[in-house]
Amino acid sequence: MQLASQSDESHRPHWFDLPPQILIRVVEQINQAVVITNADNIIIYVNPAYERLTGHTARAAIGQRPNINKSGHHDSAFYEAMWRTLETEGHWEGEIWDRRADGTVYLKYLILERIIDQSGQTSHHVALFHDLSEKKRTEAELERLTHYDDLTDLPNRILFRNRLNHEFNVSNRHKRSTGLILLNLDRFRQINDTFGFTAGDQLLCEIAERFTTCIRRTDLMAVQEDRTERDPDMVSRVSGDAFAFILSEMRQPEDASVVADRLMAKLEQPFEIAGEEVFVSASMGIAIYPQNAASEDALIHCAEEALAQVKQTGRGGYRFYSQEMNASSANRVRLEAQMRRAISEQGFVLHYQPKLDLASQRITGMEALIRWPMEDGRMVSPADFIPLAEDTGLINPIGDWILERAFADTLEIERRTGHRLTVAVNLSARQFQNPKLIDTVADALARSGLPPRQVELEITEGMLMHNVNEACKAMRKLRSLGVALAIDDFGTGYSSLAYLRNFPVNTLKIDRTFVNDLRASTSDACIISAVIGLGLGLGLEIVAEGVETEQQLALLRKSGCHQAQGFHIARPEPLEAIIARLSE
Ligand code: C2E
Ligand code: MG
Ligand code: MG
């Protein structure tokens, strides 16, 4: 008996002279399935491993023809080629799908040998095979680990990039349009801080699930129109609280807003964490290929740019990328460079807006408001550059300068007019979170010699809600220096008065939007007097911002408000102007 294929096996030690009973014991014990057929291709032997692997008993197999073309995974040409190779070359091996006795389809590695006798005729076929399912499972697991997010099971950043790349190749060829939505959950850190990471993780999973229902996984239209199916859309989690959506083969850009609307709607329903209802909002930036960008990186950049714009204008919602945004990003780069120069060259100035004490009708305090004069005489508004200063971290040196300047100016006013005013200084979020803030304030107080009781620091609600415990700690430290704390723009954030009780603040500054439409007969009058009443109940000093008319002032006075600030009393003005005003 001889193998038909006489390949490089010849260097192996020859063991065919072993007694057959030894050979059969080897075959019986190996873990590979062995099937031997005779010259007529009828099974004459199967080993125990064959029975284990296929689920067929030896009794059922012997006497039958081997039947492996029943998995449905290969066409008849595949089997024909296999048998042809076996007949011409005496050997075939490769991966092949087969079906077990219980019907399950599995992948196996199969080696077929043709055995020839002395006369050169086929005497037997030997088949050897083992199960590859386990190996495939490991491979699949590996694939899952590298391409899918462990927490939500969504495609991860790598798969997102692969898919975007694929999308570009296909879009290029077929001249079709691809949409990209980048989504950031708003203030997700706050949820982790408040409820802990486990709850945060669970929430992310639920969000992922809701998002998955918002995208098209198969194309119903294509099925109806009997076209080939489009690629499905993809949602991936690209980092902690960031998701990316690839919208394949869009018909028109509006398709992207349909998806974005759906995503927003999905978040309108509250989530439940630890028995509490939690609302989550998201900001999204949308960019479209090929309208907005010609490369993958550029498209991502455009979507990021649009997302940044949404965040800058108060978060929550979505925006399409536009050419102007590109200009505005170039603008920002320029502005940042100018801002660095302004820091080193003392290019900022402070204006002061007086606050009127309603009981005594006298100016007892003022708020320092930063101004940035440009060479052409224009003034850049803090609303325009404070966010950029925040993003770049430049707010820290700028903030230090503001404290120093404001304290010195307050003493200067007192020296020249005899008026002892309190000065309110705005803190930005990043400044407030900076652990060095307490030292900076203490240093500035010590250097200027201004008594701490003449200083009030303004923070906004949003800054407090970020991490309530940390915020309270920072506030208590500041209070321990002897300075007062005010909540600025009250009513625009989402804290309630009841919540405020937890914070060691002295003053409530009611946002000017409340004061603005204050007319005697409107319901706003009721709202503002209610807010004032509650604030008074909490023992807080109440300041109304943005007072523009005598009527508003009268109403505020009637409601028991302590102080008023606004154009009706005085606009923010330079140091010399306020000195002149107080000297009158
Ligand atoms: P804010 O602290 O609420 O300041 C009040 C803003 O309202 C000022 O705008 C002021 O000019 C304006 N305002 C005052 N009275 C009236 C009025 O009767 N009607 C109207 N329509 N507006 C009035 P400004 O100076 O443009 O500042 C805007 C915001 O920029 C400030 O809001 C504050 O959040 C921030 N900001 C200003 N200066 C600084 C600063 O030195 N540091 C920091 N971190 N932020 C600052
Ligand atoms: Mg303020
Ligand atoms: Mg304000």
Side-chain angles (χ1 to χ4, degrees):
M1 197 156 93
Q2 223 180 337
L3 283 172
S5 61
Q6 288 283 358
S7 52
D8 53 353
E9 310 284 309
S10 47
H11 64 274
R12 294 237 178 109
H14 204 272
W15 46 265
F16 289 120
D17 299 334
L18 284 172
Q21 62 269 35
I22 299 288
L23 280 180
I24 201 79
R25 274 184 57 192
V26 173
V27 173
E28 300 258 285
Q29 277 171 38
I30 59 172
N31 245 337
Q32 298 241 349
V34 177
V35 181
I36 301 177
T37 60
N38 64 14
D40 300 325
N41 207 19
I42 301 292
I43 297 176
I44 55 167
Y45 173 80
V46 295
N47 72 345
Y50 169 90
E51 297 184 286
R52 281 198 303 275
L53 218 141
T54 64
H56 293 292
T57 59
R59 190 207 288 256
I62 289 168
Q64 306 291 317
R65 284 178 182 279
N67 178 14
I68 52 171
N69 49 342
K70 58 196 172 185
S71 66
H73 277 61
H74 309 283
D75 55 12
S76 52
F78 173 86
Y79 297 106
E80 279 159 24
M82 182 178 92
W83 289 120
R84 220 176 14 256
T85 309
L86 184 62
E87 287 316 308
T88 52
E89 289 166 30
H91 175 88
W92 184 91
E93 66 178 80
E95 290 183 4
I96 185 167
W97 292 93
D98 200 356
R99 197 182 285 275
R100 290 186 231 272
D102 65 5
T104 53
V105 170
Y106 69 106
L107 188 68
K108 65 189 190 184
Y109 194 83
L110 174 66
I111 300 174
L112 294 174
E113 299 286 358
R114 183 161 68 91
I115 315 288
I116 49 175
D117 59 17
Q118 247 72 37
S119 61
Q121 293 299 306
T122 301
S123 67
H124 300 85
H125 285 117
V126 177
L128 237 102
F129 56 88
H130 62 272
D131 194 350
L132 285 178
S133 317
E134 191 52 40
K135 185 165 157 258
K136 283 283 149 184
R137 253 198 301 280
T138 328
E139 275 172 16
E141 178 63 9
L142 210 63
E143 148 80 14
R144 206 187 63 78
L145 285 177
T146 43
H147 286 146
Y148 289 84
D149 170 35
D150 223 18
L151 180 66
T152 60
D153 261 344
L154 290 181
N156 65 11
R157 184 180 209 96
I158 297 171
L159 192 52
F160 160 69
R161 287 305 300 243
N162 289 352
R163 175 61 194 281
L164 196 61
N165 179 272
H166 163 80
E167 201 59 41
F168 263 75
N169 292 336
V170 180
S171 295
N172 260 335
R173 242 179 295 131
H174 299 291
K175 302 264 171 290
R176 64 189 207 191
S177 173
T178 297
L180 173 63
I181 304 181
L182 293 184
L183 179 150
N184 248 199
L185 300 174
D186 298 329
R187 305 184 187 87
F188 196 76
R189 224 185 88 189
Q190 192 182 312
I191 291 183
N192 275 332
D193 288 346
T194 317
F195 297 99
F197 285 107
T198 318
D201 282 355
Q202 185 203 329
L203 184 60
L204 280 170
C205 289
E206 280 177 41
I207 291 171
E209 233 164 78
R210 287 197 196 177
F211 284 173
T212 310
T213 64
C214 293
I215 56 163
R216 177 176 52 86
R217 268 161 303 173
T218 48
D219 183 12
L220 284 177
M221 287 293 285
V223 175
Q224 279 163 15
E225 291 169 16
D226 208 21
R227 291 188 289 114
T228 45
E229 231 176 70
R230 296 197 291 185
D231 281 329
D233 294 344
M234 178 199 253
V235 47
S236 50
R237 180 168 173 240
V238 287
S239 71
D241 57 359
F243 295 80
F245 300 79
I246 296 175
L247 311 179
S248 190
E249 274 183 85
M250 293 202 315
R251 285 152 221 268
Q252 64 254 338
E254 291 75 47
D255 290 358
S257 44
V258 172
V259 175
D261 281 329
R262 240 184 265 151
L263 292 169
M264 303 267 287
K266 278 286 168 196
L267 293 180
E268 267 163 24
Q269 304 294 324
F271 293 85
E272 203 190 293
I273 304 186
E276 269 185 64
E277 278 196 348
V278 176
F279 287 88
V280 178
S281 73
S283 305
M284 286 175 257
I286 305 175
I288 313 283
Y289 171 84
Q291 284 93 321
N292 298 149
S295 74
E296 292 158 51
D297 283 336
L299 189 71
I300 292 175
H301 180 80
C302 290
E304 280 172 347
E305 195 62 46
L307 174 62
Q309 295 270 328
V310 175
K311 285 191 185 167
Q312 235 172 36
T313 50
R315 297 193 163 92
Y318 61 86
R319 258 199 205 193
F320 280 84
Y321 173 81
S322 71
Q323 215 50 49
E324 298 81 71
M325 285 184 193
N326 209 3
S328 91
S329 93
N331 225 357
R332 271 195 295 176
V333 173
R334 205 173 317 122
L335 207 60
E336 185 186 336
Q338 288 175 351
M339 195 146 61
R340 286 183 194 278
R341 205 165 338 117
I343 293 170
S344 58
E345 295 171 3
Q346 308 261 327
F348 298 106
V349 292
L350 287 187
H351 282 188
Y352 296 95
Q353 186 174 33
K355 287 192 286 184
L356 183 73
D357 180 81
L358 294 182
S360 66
Q361 284 285 67
R362 292 166 57 126
I363 289 172
T364 52
M366 60 184 183
E367 177 176 5
L369 294 161
I370 193 167
R371 298 288 177 264
W372 186 9
M374 298 275 108
E375 273 165 10
D376 59 8
R378 250 179 342 116
M379 266 311 172
V380 184
S381 150
D384 291 335
F385 72 85
I386 295 284
L388 180 61
E390 275 259 295
D391 285 350
T392 52
L394 292 175
I395 191 66
N396 287 319
I398 296 175
D400 293 355
W401 174 83
I402 296 170
L403 288 168
E404 197 108 359
R405 185 76 259 144
F407 294 177
D409 286 351
T410 308
L411 284 171
E412 169 91 357
I413 291 170
E414 186 171 341
R415 198 175 55 78
R416 286 175 53 192
T417 68
H419 282 83
R420 178 168 299 173
L421 302 187
T422 60
V423 64
V425 176
N426 293 284
L427 294 180
S428 82
R430 188 141 172 186
Q431 261 179 302
F432 183 64
Q433 281 154 19
N434 188 344
K436 292 206 197 100
L437 175 68
I438 174 100
D439 294 334
T440 313
V441 176
D443 282 357
L445 284 169
R447 252 202 305 272
S448 65
L450 182 70
R453 63 171 182 281
Q454 273 173 265
V455 174
E456 186 162 67
L457 299 175
E458 294 189 2
I459 46 194
T460 55
E461 292 166 76
M463 289 153 62
L464 301 179
M465 309 315 280
H466 204 70
N467 182 335
V468 176
N469 287 339
E470 282 301 309
C472 277
K473 246 190 260 164
M475 290 169 92
R476 260 183 247 111
K477 276 196 208 154
L478 288 170
R479 286 287 301 270
S480 74
L481 294 177
V483 302
L485 295 177
I487 302 281
D488 200 358
D489 304 342
F490 182 77
T492 55
Y494 52 104
S495 61
S496 64
L497 271 170
Y499 220 96
L500 273 188
R501 208 187 346 231
N502 302 320
F503 296 113
V505 291
N506 313 72
T507 306
L508 204 61
K509 293 190 81 175
I510 300 173
D511 191 67
R512 69 162 178 268
T513 50
F514 283 96
V515 181
N516 249 229
D517 0 74
L518 196 58
R519 260 163 266 111
S521 56
T522 65
S523 56
D524 296 284
C526 299
I527 296 175
I528 205 160
S529 15
V531 172
I532 291 171
L534 283 164
L536 292 173
L538 288 172
L540 298 172
E541 177 81 8
I542 314 290
V543 181
E545 297 183 301
V547 180
E548 293 182 354
T549 66
E550 184 56 42
Q551 197 190 16
Q552 290 165 349
L553 195 62
L555 251 164
L556 289 164
R557 195 177 281 124
K558 218 170 76 193
S559 308
C561 180
H562 298 122
Q563 298 179 50
Q565 179 184 348
F567 294 169
H568 180 64
I569 296 137
R571 288 187 175 254
E573 50 199 15
L575 177 70
E576 288 306 321
I578 203 150
I579 287 175
R581 174 187 294 276
L582 290 167
S583 308
E584 268 169 18

